[in-house]
Amino acid sequence: METIAIYWEPIIKTYGLFRSRDLVLLSKVVPPEAVADVGRLLAEGDFERQPEIALISAAAASDGSLRLSVVVQPDETIPLSAVNTLWKQIAAVEEASRTVDLLYFQGPHFGDRFGIAHAVQSDLACIGLTPLLLVCSASSVYMALPSGTLDRAAAALSRSFHHPSDDIIP
Amino acid sequence: MEGERLAIGGMKLSVPLVLFRWDAFDPEALQSIFERLGAGRINLPVVWIDRSAAVSSARFCIDAAGSEQALPTLQAFADIQQIAPVVAISVYPFGKRLTLLGKILQAFAESNLPIHAVGSSLASIVVLGDDTRRAACVEALLRHLRLPENHAPFEPEFRVRYQERS
């Protein structure tokens, strides 16, 4: 079966830009021989007490090591320390932590459409802003931004993306 | 030790994809590549760009069936490595916890299956594995994940293609 999709949008439609501030980006480089143990640790961790994980990104280097990044959203009831205890047990050759803002959105059939990633890059480049992480998969576009740049990024993305509401804070 | 299998809602496997890996990339060149691929109506179903570390890294995929059109653009850059074919396996639901990520890492690593990249979307976690071993990837995942009886099929039952609108 084949579905023919027809799009003609001067500005790409979305289901809204979602914004979150003051999250924490935790990154570790996990050696290849430790990946199974890290998986086991995360799978069996005390997940009831974990703060919400807003974004996961991992990419393998040519030596098989995995650069693993998670964006954590601590709140009043579950502080960052709840995941930090678990995170600190992960064997790593390198690690980092920083405060970030998060902007994400999705749109009709984004996963099947060309030009979405370029529109994001291009809009942000216009204001000289570089996302720390950009993850586009399925129909979602997620970006972790340097803390304090969220509103500028959202405004810049209005060049290419139409969003039905000015500010959506989940 | 597999532990308890985690209940999930379903899995979806992509068509074979070509993965491009570019470490320490030139941001302007990458933007130009994306622009040219977009102009050629070439979709990037999966994109990961990490500039949070000292060495930047970019990963992106295109449909293997349409890769010939894209290769002239990409082969001009000697530092871009091509890894093909890969499969993007979406596991639902993400759940906003690290548990599912842990199960996926464990499943692949214990079966000596390469993990090229992992990323979350609003609803799922997507893992890139070797397409030549896609059955083994599913088998490994199902040793750690439990599907409902009436789960959706793994393979897409239809494909979307573009039609010019005049």
Short mmCIF file of all heavy atoms in Angstrom, two decimals, chain B residues 110-145:
data_model
loop_
_atom_site.label_atom_id
_atom_site.label_comp_id
_atom_site.label_asym_id
_atom_site.label_seq_id
_atom_site.Cartn_x
_atom_site.Cartn_y
_atom_site.Cartn_z
N GLU B 110 24.96 -7.20 25.36
CA GLU B 110 25.08 -8.61 25.73
C GLU B 110 25.07 -9.53 24.51
O GLU B 110 25.57 -10.65 24.57
CB GLU B 110 23.94 -9.01 26.69
CG GLU B 110 24.15 -8.45 28.09
CD GLU B 110 23.02 -8.80 29.05
OE1 GLU B 110 22.01 -9.41 28.63
OE2 GLU B 110 23.16 -8.44 30.22
N SER B 111 24.50 -9.06 23.41
CA SER B 111 24.47 -9.88 22.18
C SER B 111 25.54 -9.43 21.19
O SER B 111 25.53 -9.86 20.03
CB SER B 111 23.09 -9.77 21.51
OG SER B 111 22.09 -10.28 22.36
N ASN B 112 26.46 -8.60 21.65
CA ASN B 112 27.54 -8.08 20.80
C ASN B 112 27.04 -7.45 19.52
O ASN B 112 27.63 -7.61 18.45
CB ASN B 112 28.54 -9.21 20.47
CG ASN B 112 29.28 -9.67 21.70
OD1 ASN B 112 29.78 -8.84 22.48
ND2 ASN B 112 29.33 -10.97 21.91
N LEU B 113 25.94 -6.76 19.64
CA LEU B 113 25.39 -6.03 18.50
C LEU B 113 25.82 -4.57 18.60
O LEU B 113 25.67 -3.96 19.67
CB LEU B 113 23.86 -6.10 18.51
CG LEU B 113 23.27 -7.50 18.28
CD1 LEU B 113 21.79 -7.52 18.69
CD2 LEU B 113 23.42 -7.91 16.83
N PRO B 114 26.35 -4.02 17.54
CA PRO B 114 26.78 -2.62 17.62
C PRO B 114 25.62 -1.66 17.80
O PRO B 114 24.55 -1.85 17.21
CB PRO B 114 27.50 -2.38 16.28
CG PRO B 114 27.06 -3.47 15.40
CD PRO B 114 26.62 -4.63 16.24
N ILE B 115 25.84 -0.65 18.63
CA ILE B 115 24.87 0.45 18.79
C ILE B 115 25.52 1.65 18.13
O ILE B 115 26.54 2.14 18.59
CB ILE B 115 24.63 0.76 20.28
CG1 ILE B 115 24.07 -0.46 21.02
CG2 ILE B 115 23.70 1.96 20.43
CD1 ILE B 115 24.08 -0.29 22.54
N HIS B 116 24.92 2.12 17.05
CA HIS B 116 25.51 3.28 16.37
C HIS B 116 25.06 4.58 17.02
O HIS B 116 25.83 5.53 17.10
CB HIS B 116 25.14 3.26 14.89
CG HIS B 116 25.64 2.05 14.17
ND1 HIS B 116 26.97 1.78 14.04
CD2 HIS B 116 24.98 1.02 13.57
CE1 HIS B 116 27.14 0.64 13.38
NE2 HIS B 116 25.94 0.15 13.09
N ALA B 117 23.84 4.62 17.46
CA ALA B 117 23.33 5.82 18.12
C ALA B 117 22.00 5.49 18.80
O ALA B 117 21.33 4.51 18.44
CB ALA B 117 23.13 6.95 17.11
N VAL B 118 21.66 6.30 19.77
CA VAL B 118 20.38 6.18 20.46
C VAL B 118 19.85 7.60 20.67
O VAL B 118 20.62 8.51 20.97
CB VAL B 118 20.54 5.52 21.86
CG1 VAL B 118 19.17 5.32 22.51
CG2 VAL B 118 21.26 4.19 21.77
N GLY B 119 18.56 7.79 20.49
CA GLY B 119 17.99 9.11 20.74
C GLY B 119 16.53 8.96 21.12
O GLY B 119 15.87 7.99 20.73
N SER B 120 16.04 9.92 21.89
CA SER B 120 14.63 9.85 22.26
C SER B 120 13.82 10.81 21.40
O SER B 120 14.33 11.82 20.91
CB SER B 120 14.45 10.17 23.74
OG SER B 120 14.89 11.48 24.03
N SER B 121 12.56 10.46 21.22
CA SER B 121 11.60 11.37 20.61
C SER B 121 10.52 11.61 21.66
O SER B 121 10.68 11.20 22.81
CB SER B 121 11.01 10.75 19.33
OG SER B 121 10.14 9.69 19.67
N LEU B 122 9.46 12.25 21.26
CA LEU B 122 8.39 12.51 22.22
C LEU B 122 7.82 11.20 22.77
O LEU B 122 7.52 11.10 23.96
CB LEU B 122 7.28 13.31 21.52
CG LEU B 122 6.33 14.10 22.40
CD1 LEU B 122 7.08 15.12 23.25
CD2 LEU B 122 5.29 14.81 21.55
N ALA B 123 7.73 10.19 21.91
CA ALA B 123 7.03 8.97 22.31
C ALA B 123 7.91 7.74 22.44
O ALA B 123 7.51 6.77 23.08
CB ALA B 123 5.93 8.67 21.29
N SER B 124 9.09 7.78 21.84
CA SER B 124 9.86 6.53 21.76
C SER B 124 11.35 6.76 22.01
O SER B 124 11.81 7.90 22.06
CB SER B 124 9.69 5.92 20.37
OG SER B 124 10.28 6.75 19.38
N ILE B 125 12.06 5.66 22.15
CA ILE B 125 13.53 5.71 22.08
C ILE B 125 13.91 5.00 20.79
O ILE B 125 13.43 3.91 20.50
CB ILE B 125 14.18 5.01 23.29
CG1 ILE B 125 13.91 5.83 24.56
CG2 ILE B 125 15.68 4.88 23.07
CD1 ILE B 125 14.58 5.28 25.80
N VAL B 126 14.76 5.64 20.01
CA VAL B 126 15.19 5.11 18.72
C VAL B 126 16.64 4.66 18.84
O VAL B 126 17.48 5.43 19.30
CB VAL B 126 15.05 6.17 17.61
CG1 VAL B 126 15.49 5.60 16.27
CG2 VAL B 126 13.62 6.69 17.53
N VAL B 127 16.89 3.42 18.45
CA VAL B 127 18.27 2.91 18.47
C VAL B 127 18.65 2.51 17.06
O VAL B 127 17.85 1.94 16.33
CB VAL B 127 18.41 1.73 19.47
CG1 VAL B 127 17.43 0.62 19.19
CG2 VAL B 127 19.83 1.18 19.48
N LEU B 128 19.88 2.87 16.68
CA LEU B 128 20.37 2.50 15.35
C LEU B 128 21.27 1.29 15.46
O LEU B 128 22.29 1.33 16.17
CB LEU B 128 21.19 3.64 14.74
CG LEU B 128 20.48 4.88 14.23
CD1 LEU B 128 21.48 5.79 13.54
CD2 LEU B 128 19.37 4.51 13.25
N GLY B 129 20.88 0.21 14.78
CA GLY B 129 21.69 -1.00 14.77
C GLY B 129 22.03 -1.40 13.34
O GLY B 129 21.63 -0.72 12.39
N ASP B 130 22.77 -2.50 13.21
CA ASP B 130 23.13 -2.98 11.87
C ASP B 130 21.91 -3.59 11.19
O ASP B 130 21.28 -4.49 11.74
CB ASP B 130 24.22 -4.05 11.96
CG ASP B 130 25.59 -3.43 12.07
OD1 ASP B 130 25.70 -2.18 12.00
OD2 ASP B 130 26.56 -4.19 12.25
N ASP B 131 21.62 -3.13 9.99
CA ASP B 131 20.46 -3.67 9.28
C ASP B 131 20.66 -5.12 8.88
O ASP B 131 19.70 -5.89 8.81
CB ASP B 131 20.15 -2.82 8.04
CG ASP B 131 18.86 -3.25 7.39
OD1 ASP B 131 17.80 -3.11 8.04
OD2 ASP B 131 18.90 -3.78 6.26
N THR B 132 21.91 -5.51 8.64
CA THR B 132 22.17 -6.90 8.26
C THR B 132 21.85 -7.86 9.41
O THR B 132 21.74 -9.06 9.20
CB THR B 132 23.64 -7.10 7.84
OG1 THR B 132 24.46 -6.61 8.90
CG2 THR B 132 23.96 -6.37 6.56
N ARG B 133 21.73 -7.31 10.62
CA ARG B 133 21.42 -8.14 11.78
C ARG B 133 20.11 -7.67 12.44
O ARG B 133 19.97 -7.75 13.65
CB ARG B 133 22.59 -8.09 12.76
CG ARG B 133 23.90 -8.55 12.10
CD ARG B 133 25.07 -8.47 13.04
NE ARG B 133 24.98 -9.49 14.08
CZ ARG B 133 25.82 -9.55 15.11
NH1 ARG B 133 26.81 -8.68 15.22
NH2 ARG B 133 25.70 -10.50 16.02
N ARG B 134 19.18 -7.20 11.63
CA ARG B 134 17.96 -6.64 12.21
C ARG B 134 17.15 -7.69 12.99
O ARG B 134 16.58 -7.38 14.03
CB ARG B 134 17.10 -5.92 11.17
CG ARG B 134 16.58 -6.74 10.02
CD ARG B 134 16.14 -5.84 8.87
NE ARG B 134 14.85 -5.19 9.11
CZ ARG B 134 14.54 -3.95 8.69
NH1 ARG B 134 15.43 -3.22 8.05
NH2 ARG B 134 13.36 -3.45 8.90
N ALA B 135 17.14 -8.92 12.51
CA ALA B 135 16.40 -9.97 13.24
C ALA B 135 17.06 -10.22 14.59
O ALA B 135 16.38 -10.41 15.60
CB ALA B 135 16.35 -11.24 12.41
N ALA B 136 18.39 -10.21 14.59
CA ALA B 136 19.12 -10.43 15.86
C ALA B 136 18.88 -9.26 16.82
O ALA B 136 18.81 -9.47 18.04
CB ALA B 136 20.61 -10.59 15.57
N CYS B 137 18.77 -8.07 16.27
CA CYS B 137 18.49 -6.90 17.13
C CYS B 137 17.14 -7.06 17.82
O CYS B 137 17.00 -6.83 19.02
CB CYS B 137 18.48 -5.61 16.30
SG CYS B 137 20.09 -5.11 15.65
N VAL B 138 16.14 -7.47 17.05
CA VAL B 138 14.79 -7.65 17.61
C VAL B 138 14.80 -8.76 18.65
O VAL B 138 14.25 -8.62 19.76
CB VAL B 138 13.77 -7.97 16.49
CG1 VAL B 138 12.43 -8.37 17.07
CG2 VAL B 138 13.61 -6.77 15.56
N GLU B 139 15.48 -9.85 18.30
CA GLU B 139 15.57 -10.99 19.23
C GLU B 139 16.22 -10.57 20.55
O GLU B 139 15.75 -10.91 21.64
CB GLU B 139 16.41 -12.08 18.54
CG GLU B 139 16.19 -13.48 19.04
CD GLU B 139 17.00 -14.45 18.18
OE1 GLU B 139 16.67 -14.62 16.99
OE2 GLU B 139 17.97 -15.00 18.72
N ALA B 140 17.31 -9.81 20.43
CA ALA B 140 18.01 -9.35 21.64
C ALA B 140 17.11 -8.45 22.48
O ALA B 140 17.04 -8.59 23.70
CB ALA B 140 19.29 -8.61 21.24
N LEU B 141 16.42 -7.55 21.80
CA LEU B 141 15.53 -6.63 22.54
C LEU B 141 14.42 -7.40 23.26
O LEU B 141 14.07 -7.10 24.40
CB LEU B 141 14.92 -5.59 21.59
CG LEU B 141 15.88 -4.49 21.12
CD1 LEU B 141 15.27 -3.70 19.97
CD2 LEU B 141 16.24 -3.55 22.27
N LEU B 142 13.90 -8.40 22.58
CA LEU B 142 12.77 -9.14 23.16
C LEU B 142 13.19 -10.05 24.32
O LEU B 142 12.35 -10.59 25.02
CB LEU B 142 12.02 -9.92 22.09
CG LEU B 142 11.27 -9.04 21.08
CD1 LEU B 142 10.54 -9.88 20.05
CD2 LEU B 142 10.30 -8.09 21.78
N ARG B 143 14.49 -10.21 24.49
CA ARG B 143 14.94 -10.92 25.70
C ARG B 143 14.82 -10.02 26.93
O ARG B 143 14.87 -10.48 28.06
CB ARG B 143 16.38 -11.40 25.53
CG ARG B 143 16.49 -12.70 24.73
CD ARG B 143 17.84 -13.37 24.93
NE ARG B 143 18.90 -12.67 24.20
CZ ARG B 143 19.21 -12.91 22.94
NH1 ARG B 143 18.56 -13.82 22.25
NH2 ARG B 143 20.18 -12.24 22.36
N HIS B 144 14.69 -8.70 26.67
CA HIS B 144 14.62 -7.74 27.78
C HIS B 144 13.31 -6.96 27.81
O HIS B 144 13.02 -6.30 28.79
CB HIS B 144 15.80 -6.76 27.69
CG HIS B 144 17.11 -7.43 27.92
ND1 HIS B 144 17.68 -7.54 29.17
CD2 HIS B 144 17.96 -8.04 27.06
CE1 HIS B 144 18.82 -8.19 29.07
NE2 HIS B 144 19.03 -8.51 27.81
N LEU B 145 12.57 -7.02 26.71
CA LEU B 145 11.34 -6.25 26.60
C LEU B 145 10.18 -7.20 26.29
O LEU B 145 10.37 -8.20 25.59
CB LEU B 145 11.46 -5.20 25.48
CG LEU B 145 12.66 -4.25 25.57
CD1 LEU B 145 12.74 -3.38 24.32
CD2 LEU B 145 12.57 -3.38 26.81
#
